[in-house]
Amino acid sequence: MKWFLWLFNLGVFYVAVHGRRDVRRKLTAQLNPGCPENICGNDVLGNITNVVHVTSLGASDAIHYVWDLTGKPSALVALCGLESKLNIRWEISLKARITVFSESPRYTFGVVLSRLWEYNDEDDVGTFTVTNASQINSFSLRQFEWERQKFDASDDFVELSVKSQGVKDLKGNFELSLATFATPDHAPMTPHLMHTENSTQIDLILDSVLTNETFENPRFAIEVILVAMEPHRDNYTVVVRKSLDDEFTPGIFKIVNVASPASVNASSGGYLQYRPVSYTHEERDVSTSTQTYQSSPATPNNAITKLKNTLFRSIFGDSVETMLVQTLNVSFGASGDGFYTKYNYTTWTFVVGYGAPLPDKLSLFVVVVATIGLGVPLLLLFCGGCYVCVKRVRSTS
């Protein structure tokens, strides 16, 4: 028994030591930096004005995260030099701002949550493939007012949570949470996505949404715009990876990576990563899970128009037309799950980052158990073999 405990403790020590070699960054966050008193000092406007700037300092560079909830919800990841600064010039209009870096970013990537689709899934296929315009409603997320619920910031973690009651023809509780971290790890919230020190996690919740009364089988989808500082004629690559391990997201053995060419070829681009799962209850587990489906990335006819009223236009202006801009739709729900109205609750969680998406890492517990599970039989086999050999030698002599 003593040697068994010794082996266990050795395994725990080894994995604990080697598992802490991840890079750590120092985070500094500002809420509405430089916002004038007539906007952020106002009790009403101040709570619905949500622009967060996070500076993530590494050994040789700085990553700037900008989360903008004043227009279409946008999240930017910008790789810059250590001395780089970000300045937001607030104009008379809340939605008219100019965002300027003190030096040109080495690379930028980000997403825009452009609009929600409500559609009538008459054939119960789950995917957003409806072509009849009368069975689709479109709602621009620019029209949503996001009221701040929580803003937490430390050297290791920054989080912003906001909530909206929707718009005239789509009432309900819509929640968004954005978070970034100083070190790579699995997020504490299910589906426990793997984030790096160079990424932002975004969580969307649609709760108690009043659907169109004429839609018997209502579902929702969201349009996402991807924007990368790469040639506009390129394309994003979608890779669905399968795994034998569902430790962190029970029942889900797939992970979807949408990566820019620079991320695929040199691990120095941008990516969006998520598990194709949506939850139909606050308690997120296997029994409350359903699927998500994604369309292929497509290039919009006019990037300048598509990115109107977004963070990216305030930074890059009309030069967004030279960048890699594509859109995709992600729908929530699968055939036979009862549609949105069965539970009136759905979620989607994803990560946006710089570099290459990390594969899932096994937890310390699993590694130790696997080490013991494999090591003990091998040790017994070795000891048994030695015993047999020694016994034969003695018998021969």
Side-chain angles (χ1 to χ4, degrees):
M1 178 59 70
K2 288 184 177 180
W3 63 265
F4 180 86
L5 293 175
W6 178 84
L7 181 62
F8 180 86
N9 292 329
L10 180 62
V12 171
F13 175 79
Y14 177 86
V15 177
V17 171
H18 287 266
R20 293 182 180 273
R21 291 185 174 178
D22 292 323
V23 175
R24 174 178 291 274
R25 287 178 170 269
K26 182 180 179 181
L27 305 180
T28 304
Q30 294 176 290
L31 175 65
N32 301 324
C35 182
E37 185 68 19
N38 67 310
I39 295 178
C40 291
N42 184 295
D43 291 340
V44 177
L45 283 179
N47 208 36
I48 63 172
T49 304
N50 294 289
V51 179
V52 174
H53 172 221
V54 183
T55 303
S56 176
L57 292 178
S60 59
D61 56 40
I63 289 183
H64 295 270
Y65 303 98
V66 185
W67 307 335
D68 186 354
L69 282 300
T70 59
K72 294 178 180 178
S74 308
L76 170 77
V77 183
L79 177 68
C80 301
L82 275 174
E83 302 300 322
S84 59
K85 306 294 180 184
L86 181 75
N87 180 39
I88 300 177
R89 300 174 186 169
W90 298 78
E91 304 295 336
I92 297 176
S93 169
L94 174 62
K95 298 184 184 297
R97 294 186 316 281
I98 300 174
T99 306
V100 180
F101 286 98
S102 61
E103 61 181 61
S104 297
R106 301 171 188 174
Y107 184 85
T108 62
F109 176 75
V111 298
V112 177
L113 302 183
S114 181
R115 54 181 164 174
L116 277 175
W117 303 101
E118 179 190 16
Y119 64 100
N120 192 24
D121 188 8
E122 294 178 302
D123 298 324
D124 191 16
V125 296
T127 57
F128 180 32
T129 54
V130 179
T131 56
N132 185 346
S134 66
Q135 303 299 305
I136 304 172
N137 290 323
S138 173
F139 302 93
S140 172
L141 288 173
R142 180 198 172 197
Q143 305 302 324
F144 285 54
E145 287 190 346
W146 300 98
E147 183 177 346
R148 187 167 58 256
Q149 304 295 302
K150 180 175 67 172
F151 176 66
D152 289 335
S154 69
D155 289 349
D156 301 316
F157 174 75
V158 180
E159 181 181 24
L160 171 70
S161 297
V162 294
K163 188 174 183 178
S164 174
Q165 300 301 315
V167 290
K168 178 181 178 182
D169 295 321
L170 191 69
K171 294 293 185 179
N173 296 317
F174 302 84
E175 300 177 34
L176 271 175
S177 295
L178 301 94
T180 193
F181 311 84
T183 57
D185 200 354
H186 286 275
M189 178 177 60
T190 306
H192 302 299
L193 292 178
M194 184 70 187
H195 59 75
T196 73
E197 72 281 9
N198 303 330
S199 62
T200 289
Q201 176 175 291
I202 301 175
D203 185 75
L204 170 68
I205 297 174
L206 280 61
D207 182 14
S208 304
V209 179
L210 299 178
T211 57
N212 190 318
E213 294 181 353
T214 66
F215 289 1
E216 294 184 3
N217 305 327
R219 295 192 190 277
F220 287 98
I222 190 167
E223 181 184 62
V224 181
I225 308 175
L226 308 175
V227 186
M229 187 183 282
E230 298 185 38
H232 70 282
R233 289 188 174 86
D234 286 340
N235 292 289
Y236 291 94
T237 300
V238 180
V239 177
V240 180
R241 295 162 60 178
K242 297 182 179 179
S243 171
L244 297 176
D245 173 46
D246 68 339
E247 176 193 3
F248 294 100
T249 316
I252 308 300
F253 295 91
K254 295 180 181 178
I255 191 161
V256 180
N257 295 325
V258 184
S260 73
S263 177
V264 173
N265 299 327
S267 298
S268 58
Y271 66 88
L272 181 151
Q273 183 183 66
Y274 66 96
R275 287 192 178 271
V277 61
S278 175
Y279 295 97
T280 58
H281 193 273
E282 290 181 3
E283 295 182 6
R284 304 183 181 191
D285 55 37
V286 175
S287 63
T288 64
S289 64
T290 187
Q291 292 178 256
T292 67
Y293 297 96
Q294 178 195 303
S295 66
S296 298
T299 302
N301 293 329
N302 189 315
I304 295 177
T305 302
K306 196 69 177 177
L307 291 171
K308 185 179 180 180
N309 300 119
T310 69
L311 170 67
F312 296 92
R313 283 293 302 279
S314 75
I315 296 176
F316 302 106
D318 290 350
S319 64
V320 292
E321 65 180 352
T322 66
M323 302 172 72
L324 176 54
V325 180
Q326 292 191 321
T327 65
L328 55 84
N329 295 314
V330 177
S331 59
F332 315 120
S335 176
D337 66 0
F339 310 100
Y340 177 80
T341 46
K342 183 174 181 178
Y343 301 102
N344 292 307
Y345 192 92
T346 197
T347 71
W348 185 45
T349 309
F350 62 98
V351 169
V352 177
Y354 168 75
L358 289 181
D360 263 339
K361 295 192 297 186
L362 296 177
S363 69
L364 172 63
F365 175 76
V366 170
V367 171
V368 171
V369 169
T371 301
I372 294 174
L374 293 173
V376 170
L378 289 174
L379 184 60
L380 292 176
L381 183 62
F382 175 76
C383 293
C386 292
Y387 174 77
V388 171
C389 291
V390 170
K391 189 173 182 180
R392 285 183 178 178
V393 170
R394 287 180 178 177
S395 299
T396 303
S397 60

